[in-house]
Short mmCIF file of all heavy atoms in Angstrom, two decimals:
data_model
loop_
_atom_site.label_atom_id
_atom_site.label_comp_id
_atom_site.label_asym_id
_atom_site.label_seq_id
_atom_site.Cartn_x
_atom_site.Cartn_y
_atom_site.Cartn_z
N VAL A 25 -25.67 25.18 -12.61
CA VAL A 25 -25.02 25.49 -11.33
C VAL A 25 -23.54 25.79 -11.59
O VAL A 25 -22.75 24.87 -11.85
CB VAL A 25 -25.14 24.30 -10.33
CG1 VAL A 25 -24.55 24.69 -8.97
CG2 VAL A 25 -26.59 23.86 -10.17
N PRO A 26 -23.15 27.07 -11.54
CA PRO A 26 -21.73 27.40 -11.69
C PRO A 26 -20.98 27.16 -10.38
O PRO A 26 -21.46 27.56 -9.32
CB PRO A 26 -21.74 28.89 -12.05
CG PRO A 26 -23.06 29.42 -11.60
CD PRO A 26 -24.00 28.27 -11.42
N THR A 27 -19.81 26.50 -10.45
CA THR A 27 -19.01 26.25 -9.23
C THR A 27 -17.53 26.42 -9.56
O THR A 27 -17.14 26.46 -10.72
CB THR A 27 -19.18 24.80 -8.70
OG1 THR A 27 -18.35 23.91 -9.48
CG2 THR A 27 -20.62 24.32 -8.74
N MET A 28 -16.74 26.45 -8.46
CA MET A 28 -15.28 26.43 -8.63
C MET A 28 -14.73 25.07 -8.19
O MET A 28 -13.53 24.95 -7.93
CB MET A 28 -14.65 27.58 -7.85
CG MET A 28 -15.12 28.94 -8.37
SD MET A 28 -13.97 30.29 -8.08
CE MET A 28 -13.98 30.34 -6.31
N GLY A 29 -15.59 24.08 -8.07
CA GLY A 29 -15.13 22.73 -7.76
C GLY A 29 -14.89 22.50 -6.28
O GLY A 29 -15.33 23.29 -5.44
N HIS A 32 -18.89 20.09 -2.24
CA HIS A 32 -19.31 19.62 -0.91
C HIS A 32 -20.84 19.64 -0.88
O HIS A 32 -21.48 20.07 -1.87
CB HIS A 32 -18.69 20.50 0.18
CG HIS A 32 -18.92 21.97 -0.01
ND1 HIS A 32 -20.17 22.54 0.06
CD2 HIS A 32 -18.08 22.99 -0.29
CE1 HIS A 32 -20.09 23.83 -0.14
NE2 HIS A 32 -18.82 24.14 -0.38
N GLY A 34 -22.94 21.61 0.22
CA GLY A 34 -23.54 22.91 -0.12
C GLY A 34 -23.77 23.01 -1.63
O GLY A 34 -24.86 23.37 -2.09
N HIS A 35 -22.73 22.68 -2.41
CA HIS A 35 -22.88 22.66 -3.87
C HIS A 35 -23.95 21.64 -4.27
O HIS A 35 -24.78 21.90 -5.15
CB HIS A 35 -21.57 22.24 -4.56
CG HIS A 35 -20.41 23.16 -4.34
ND1 HIS A 35 -19.32 22.81 -3.59
CD2 HIS A 35 -20.17 24.41 -4.81
CE1 HIS A 35 -18.44 23.79 -3.60
NE2 HIS A 35 -18.93 24.79 -4.33
N SER A 37 -26.50 20.59 -2.81
CA SER A 37 -27.90 20.98 -2.56
C SER A 37 -28.43 21.82 -3.73
O SER A 37 -29.58 21.68 -4.15
CB SER A 37 -28.04 21.74 -1.24
OG SER A 37 -27.52 23.03 -1.36
N LEU A 38 -27.56 22.68 -4.29
CA LEU A 38 -27.96 23.47 -5.47
C LEU A 38 -28.20 22.53 -6.66
O LEU A 38 -29.16 22.68 -7.41
CB LEU A 38 -26.84 24.44 -5.85
CG LEU A 38 -26.76 25.83 -5.20
CD1 LEU A 38 -26.74 25.79 -3.70
CD2 LEU A 38 -25.55 26.59 -5.71
N TYR A 69 -6.22 27.19 -3.91
CA TYR A 69 -7.62 26.76 -4.04
C TYR A 69 -7.65 25.25 -4.31
O TYR A 69 -6.95 24.77 -5.21
CB TYR A 69 -8.34 27.53 -5.15
CG TYR A 69 -9.83 27.54 -4.91
CD1 TYR A 69 -10.39 28.48 -4.06
CD2 TYR A 69 -10.65 26.56 -5.46
CE1 TYR A 69 -11.75 28.45 -3.78
CE2 TYR A 69 -12.01 26.53 -5.18
CZ TYR A 69 -12.54 27.49 -4.34
OH TYR A 69 -13.88 27.45 -4.05
N TYR A 143 -28.78 28.36 -10.42
CA TYR A 143 -28.89 28.12 -8.97
C TYR A 143 -27.65 28.64 -8.26
O TYR A 143 -26.52 28.25 -8.60
CB TYR A 143 -29.07 26.61 -8.72
CG TYR A 143 -30.39 26.13 -9.27
CD1 TYR A 143 -30.53 25.83 -10.62
CD2 TYR A 143 -31.50 26.03 -8.46
CE1 TYR A 143 -31.75 25.44 -11.15
CE2 TYR A 143 -32.73 25.63 -8.97
CZ TYR A 143 -32.84 25.33 -10.32
OH TYR A 143 -34.05 24.96 -10.83
N LEU A 144 -27.88 29.52 -7.28
CA LEU A 144 -26.77 30.15 -6.55
C LEU A 144 -27.06 30.07 -5.05
O LEU A 144 -28.22 30.09 -4.64
CB LEU A 144 -26.63 31.62 -6.96
CG LEU A 144 -26.40 31.86 -8.46
CD1 LEU A 144 -26.67 33.32 -8.81
CD2 LEU A 144 -24.97 31.48 -8.86
N GLY A 145 -25.99 30.03 -4.25
CA GLY A 145 -26.16 29.86 -2.81
C GLY A 145 -26.30 31.18 -2.06
O GLY A 145 -25.63 32.16 -2.39
N GLU A 146 -27.15 31.17 -1.05
CA GLU A 146 -27.27 32.34 -0.16
C GLU A 146 -26.03 32.49 0.70
O GLU A 146 -25.84 33.51 1.35
CB GLU A 146 -28.51 32.20 0.72
CG GLU A 146 -29.81 32.40 -0.03
CD GLU A 146 -31.04 32.28 0.83
OE1 GLU A 146 -30.92 31.84 2.00
OE2 GLU A 146 -32.13 32.61 0.33
N LYS A 147 -25.20 31.47 0.72
CA LYS A 147 -23.93 31.55 1.47
C LYS A 147 -23.15 32.79 1.02
O LYS A 147 -22.58 33.51 1.83
CB LYS A 147 -23.13 30.28 1.21
CG LYS A 147 -21.65 30.39 1.34
CD LYS A 147 -21.21 29.93 2.68
CE LYS A 147 -19.78 30.23 3.02
NZ LYS A 147 -18.83 30.30 1.96
N ASP A 148 -23.14 33.02 -0.31
CA ASP A 148 -22.47 34.21 -0.87
C ASP A 148 -23.57 35.23 -1.17
O ASP A 148 -23.93 35.44 -2.34
CB ASP A 148 -21.70 33.81 -2.13
CG ASP A 148 -20.65 32.76 -1.82
OD1 ASP A 148 -19.58 33.13 -1.33
OD2 ASP A 148 -20.93 31.56 -2.03
N GLN A 151 -22.91 38.26 -3.45
CA GLN A 151 -22.73 37.77 -4.82
C GLN A 151 -24.08 37.44 -5.46
O GLN A 151 -24.37 37.83 -6.60
CB GLN A 151 -21.83 36.52 -4.77
CG GLN A 151 -21.76 35.74 -6.05
CD GLN A 151 -20.80 34.57 -5.91
OE1 GLN A 151 -19.60 34.77 -5.80
NE2 GLN A 151 -21.31 33.35 -5.92
N CYS A 171 -30.49 29.58 -3.09
CA CYS A 171 -30.67 28.35 -2.28
C CYS A 171 -30.07 28.54 -0.88
O CYS A 171 -29.03 29.20 -0.73
CB CYS A 171 -29.96 27.18 -2.95
SG CYS A 171 -30.54 26.90 -4.63
N PRO A 172 -30.71 27.95 0.15
CA PRO A 172 -30.28 28.18 1.53
C PRO A 172 -28.87 27.65 1.84
O PRO A 172 -28.37 26.76 1.16
CB PRO A 172 -31.32 27.43 2.37
CG PRO A 172 -32.06 26.55 1.44
CD PRO A 172 -31.88 27.08 0.06
N ILE A 173 -28.28 28.21 2.90
CA ILE A 173 -26.92 27.82 3.30
C ILE A 173 -26.94 26.43 3.92
O ILE A 173 -27.74 26.15 4.81
CB ILE A 173 -26.36 28.82 4.35
CG1 ILE A 173 -26.37 30.25 3.81
CG2 ILE A 173 -24.98 28.40 4.81
CD1 ILE A 173 -25.96 31.30 4.83
N ILE A 174 -26.03 25.58 3.46
CA ILE A 174 -25.88 24.25 4.05
C ILE A 174 -24.69 24.31 5.03
O ILE A 174 -23.64 24.85 4.69
CB ILE A 174 -25.64 23.17 2.96
CG1 ILE A 174 -26.77 23.19 1.93
CG2 ILE A 174 -25.47 21.79 3.58
CD1 ILE A 174 -28.16 22.89 2.46
N ARG A 175 -24.92 23.75 6.22
CA ARG A 175 -23.93 23.86 7.30
C ARG A 175 -23.43 22.50 7.76
O ARG A 175 -24.12 21.50 7.62
CB ARG A 175 -24.56 24.59 8.50
CG ARG A 175 -25.01 25.98 8.15
CD ARG A 175 -25.64 26.71 9.33
NE ARG A 175 -26.01 28.06 8.90
CZ ARG A 175 -25.15 29.07 8.77
NH1 ARG A 175 -23.89 28.89 9.12
NH2 ARG A 175 -25.54 30.24 8.32
N ALA A 181 -20.73 27.18 8.13
CA ALA A 181 -21.22 27.16 6.74
C ALA A 181 -20.22 26.39 5.88
O ALA A 181 -19.01 26.66 5.94
CB ALA A 181 -21.39 28.59 6.23
N MET A 182 -20.71 25.43 5.11
CA MET A 182 -19.79 24.64 4.29
C MET A 182 -19.14 25.52 3.23
O MET A 182 -19.79 26.39 2.66
CB MET A 182 -20.55 23.50 3.62
CG MET A 182 -20.94 22.45 4.61
SD MET A 182 -21.61 21.02 3.77
CE MET A 182 -21.87 19.95 5.19
N SER A 183 -17.84 25.29 3.01
CA SER A 183 -17.09 26.07 2.03
C SER A 183 -15.86 25.27 1.62
O SER A 183 -15.27 24.57 2.45
CB SER A 183 -16.64 27.39 2.67
OG SER A 183 -15.65 27.99 1.87
N SER A 184 -15.47 25.38 0.37
CA SER A 184 -14.27 24.68 -0.10
C SER A 184 -13.05 25.15 0.68
O SER A 184 -12.10 24.41 0.88
CB SER A 184 -14.06 24.94 -1.59
OG SER A 184 -15.25 24.66 -2.30
P1 LIG B 1 -18.11 28.20 -5.24
O1 LIG B 1 -17.66 26.87 -5.77
O2 LIG B 1 -17.55 28.54 -3.89
O3 LIG B 1 -17.95 29.31 -6.25
O4 LIG B 1 -19.68 28.06 -5.00
C1 LIG B 1 -20.55 27.69 -6.05
C2 LIG B 1 -21.96 27.95 -5.61
O5 LIG B 1 -22.25 27.15 -4.46
C3 LIG B 1 -22.23 29.42 -5.22
O6 LIG B 1 -23.49 29.81 -5.70
C4 LIG B 1 -22.19 29.35 -3.71
O7 LIG B 1 -22.95 30.37 -3.09
C5 LIG B 1 -22.80 27.98 -3.45
N1 LIG B 1 -22.42 27.48 -2.12
C6 LIG B 1 -21.16 27.36 -1.63
N2 LIG B 1 -21.20 26.92 -0.36
C7 LIG B 1 -22.51 26.78 -0.03
C8 LIG B 1 -23.20 26.38 1.14
N3 LIG B 1 -22.56 26.03 2.25
N4 LIG B 1 -24.55 26.34 1.11
C9 LIG B 1 -25.22 26.70 -0.02
N5 LIG B 1 -24.62 27.09 -1.15
C10 LIG B 1 -23.29 27.14 -1.18
#
Side-chain angles (χ1 to χ4, degrees):
V25 184
T27 80
M28 297 206 296
H32 53 66
H35 297 111
S37 74
L38 273 54
Y69 204 84
Y143 294 81
L144 302 164
E146 288 181 350
K147 154 97 191 330
D148 300 280
Q151 169 178 290
C171 302
I173 302 175
I174 304 298
R175 299 180 178 282
M182 289 188 176
S183 166
S184 308

